[in-house]
Amino acid sequence: MGHEPASKSHVASLDGLRALACLAVFGVHFEQITHVGGSLGPLSVRTLLVNGNTGVCLFFVLSGFLLSLPFWRSGAGAGRDGRTSVGGPGWMASYALRRVGRIVPAYYLCLAVLAIWQRQWASGPGLVDVLLHAMFLHNLTEFSFYGISPPFWTLAVQAQLYVLFPVLMWLLWPVMRRRGTAAAAVLVACTVGA
């Protein structure tokens, strides 16, 4: 039997780090629901679980790294499917379809169920909240940041990253081709740090 080649954006050694980030995020939500406390020797269980918010940050860093990996690896070469140049129009369409297909259907289903269950249509602010959530912009206003479901704020940030990422890669493409990956990586670090 043949062995399938690994995806250019999958790094097996990061699977454990992803699992830790997932457990940390689960711990935060578990504590928010149960208000569990206590200690394990000198370790406060509540503090440990609450500090699991770092798992969200870790997910964002991993997403940015893994999304950019095919771009950095390809240079001027082929894209993920071996046919489409990274940075070209085919790459952009493939990238957009993968991102939309991965997030939007499940998110819209959850949003619809929660909006109906919470009777969001009963007030003007509720309808605005649903609209902001549907456009992944609810994290930009204070009243809707945690409006329909508190964990949804991370999806808005992730969707905004997915929109801005190809723009950033497009802007860095000429630098990468002329000066190499190291110069482009420095520009990314400066942009993210700003």
Side-chain angles (χ1 to χ4, degrees):
M1 273 218 161
H3 185 268
E4 289 278 328
S7 162
K8 285 188 175 187
S9 63
H10 182 259
V11 179
S13 59
L14 293 179
D15 288 345
L17 197 54
R18 286 176 172 181
L20 286 175
C22 182
L23 285 172
V25 171
F26 174 80
V28 169
H29 295 298
F30 180 76
E31 190 283 326
Q32 288 171 345
I33 292 168
T34 65
H35 303 290
V36 69
S39 62
L40 295 170
L43 186 65
S44 165
V45 172
R46 183 180 182 285
T47 302
L48 176 69
L49 294 175
V50 167
N51 287 326
N53 277 331
T54 55
V56 174
C57 296
L58 186 54
F59 272 126
F60 289 149
V61 170
L62 285 171
S63 289
F65 173 73
L66 293 171
L67 281 173
S68 66
L69 205 53
F71 178 82
W72 300 122
R73 284 182 175 168
S74 73
R80 184 178 212 185
D81 61 4
R83 298 182 302 265
T84 315
S85 171
V86 174
W91 173 81
M92 184 71 77
S94 175
Y95 165 84
L97 286 173
R98 281 192 312 272
R99 299 290 69 94
V100 167
R102 178 174 281 193
I103 290 180
V104 172
Y107 173 73
Y108 278 175
L109 176 64
C110 288
L111 179 60
V113 168
L114 288 172
I116 291 167
W117 184 38
Q118 297 172 4
R119 300 177 45 90
Q120 291 287 328
W121 67 87
S123 71
L127 291 174
V128 170
D129 199 7
V130 171
L131 182 61
L132 287 170
H133 275 76
M135 296 185 317
F136 293 96
L137 298 175
H138 56 280
N139 67 321
L140 302 178
T141 66
E142 200 168 323
F143 93 91
S144 69
F145 192 85
Y146 292 126
I148 294 175
S149 176
F152 277 7
W153 76 266
T154 60
L155 292 170
V157 173
Q158 196 78 10
Q160 292 158 13
L161 167 73
Y162 289 159
V163 169
L164 293 176
F165 174 77
V167 173
L168 180 61
M169 294 296 106
W170 179 75
L171 290 171
L172 289 174
W173 188 252
V175 173
M176 185 177 165
R177 291 190 69 184
R178 272 186 262 128
R179 298 218 165 83
T181 303
V186 168
L187 283 174
V188 168
C190 291
T191 304
V192 171

